[in-house]
Amino acid sequence: MSLSLFDLTGKRALVTGATHGLGMSMAAGLAHAGAQLIINDISQEKLDQAIEEYKRMGIEASGYLFDVTDEPAVIANVAKIEKEVGPIDILINNAGIIKRIPVIDMDVADWEQVLKIDLTGPFIMAKHIGRQMIERRAGKIINMCSMMSEVGRNTVSAYAAAKGGLKMLTKNLATEWAPFNIQVNGIGPGYFATSQTAPIRVDGHPFNDFIISRTPAARWGETDDLQGAAIFLSSKASDFVNGHILYVDGGILASLGKAANE
């Protein structure tokens, strides 16, 4: 009985930007839990490569080419997915970018691009998929937040602003849509071992040493560490969890860190 709470068989899950990294890992986790997988990207080449990678994992994924910030394209593709694959039961708003630029050097165009992709994109996706979920009176939406939803860090002002806003959008959507049996929650990853972080994940690198010493778990997260959180928030097991941000960070946000003499 308890294991059946996490079974996603018969559910259709759309994970935006799930062509690599953490998005791909979460998407694969949902598929292995039984969900029918749908992914999107703005690059046909990345979509094709990702679908082949999923096949190597034994997963059949449907790919759709559109920009999550383009509302007409979202409307058209949501309708297309519902017609070709079926109703979307689970949405993970994973697509996002970061620009590491000090505030005084950041152009307004860079600021607005980050907010558009990381905050307005999830709003547009949730709005149009949520409309269908409201009609069916069922659905799961997961927004990919960040530790920067809670704390700041040098050079990531736009990203932190967007992720802080995404946390509050998550809570507000949960408040509005809970009466329709829709659960809206977030996942906030810590620092993970991905291809992007590979160059700095070496012994002796200052940032590598900082992350290991700053994280109570004393390691980087592995991409599979996000799968349990994604499956839980997508499944019946979380039917009374709403407006919650689940931080998967090895304990960083729970700790002030080690003193210099420890």
Side-chain angles (χ1 to χ4, degrees), residues 8-9 13 25-37 54 58-61 231:
L8 300 180
T9 301
S25 180
M26 288 187 294
L30 299 190
H32 287 312
Q36 186 172 357
L37 181 61
Y54 283 116
I59 298 167
E60 291 295 326
I231 292 168

Side-chain angles (χ1 to χ4, degrees), residues 62-134:
S62 301
Y64 288 82
L65 186 71
F66 65 95
D67 183 341
V68 298
T69 70
D70 182 342
E71 188 169 20
V74 169
I75 293 170
N77 278 275
V78 167
K80 189 176 180 183
I81 291 167
E82 297 249 343
K83 180 179 179 180
E84 295 179 349
V85 183
I88 299 167
D89 303 293
I90 301 159
L91 167 65
I92 299 186
N93 280 314
N94 170 73
I97 64 168
I98 186 170
K99 292 196 172 188
R100 304 180 189 278
I101 307 171
V103 170
I104 59 173
D105 298 323
M106 177 171 267
D107 292 335
V108 171
D110 289 320
W111 168 273
E112 290 180 340
Q113 184 185 22
V114 174
L115 265 67
K116 187 175 183 180
I117 295 172
D118 292 0
L119 181 56
T120 304
F123 161 75
I124 293 171
M125 293 296 298
K127 173 184 175 181
H128 294 289
I129 292 175
R131 191 189 308 276
Q132 306 299 323
M133 291 178 171
I134 287 170

Side-chain angles (χ1 to χ4, degrees), residues 85-198:
V85 183
I88 299 167
D89 303 293
I90 301 159
L91 167 65
I92 299 186
N93 280 314
N94 170 73
I97 64 168
I98 186 170
K99 292 196 172 188
R100 304 180 189 278
I101 307 171
V103 170
I104 59 173
D105 298 323
M106 177 171 267
D107 292 335
V108 171
D110 289 320
W111 168 273
E112 290 180 340
Q113 184 185 22
V114 174
L115 265 67
K116 187 175 183 180
I117 295 172
D118 292 0
L119 181 56
T120 304
F123 161 75
I124 293 171
M125 293 296 298
K127 173 184 175 181
H128 294 289
I129 292 175
R131 191 189 308 276
Q132 306 299 323
M133 291 178 171
I134 287 170
E135 290 181 3
R136 295 191 294 269
R137 302 188 74 84
K140 303 279 188 176
I141 298 176
I142 301 170
N143 291 323
M144 291 309 295
C145 296
S146 165
M147 291 193 302
M148 300 312 118
S149 297
E150 301 291 345
V151 298
R153 190 167 162 242
N154 289 347
T155 76
V156 294
S157 59
Y159 182 80
K163 294 300 185 177
L166 188 57
K167 177 184 75 170
M168 295 312 300
L169 176 63
T170 300
K171 291 176 180 292
N172 210 85
L173 291 176
T175 302
E176 290 193 20
W177 293 350
F180 302 102
N181 188 34
I182 298 168
Q183 292 79 53
V184 186
N185 294 288
I187 294 176
Y191 290 96
F192 276 75
T194 65
S195 58
Q196 290 178 316
T197 61

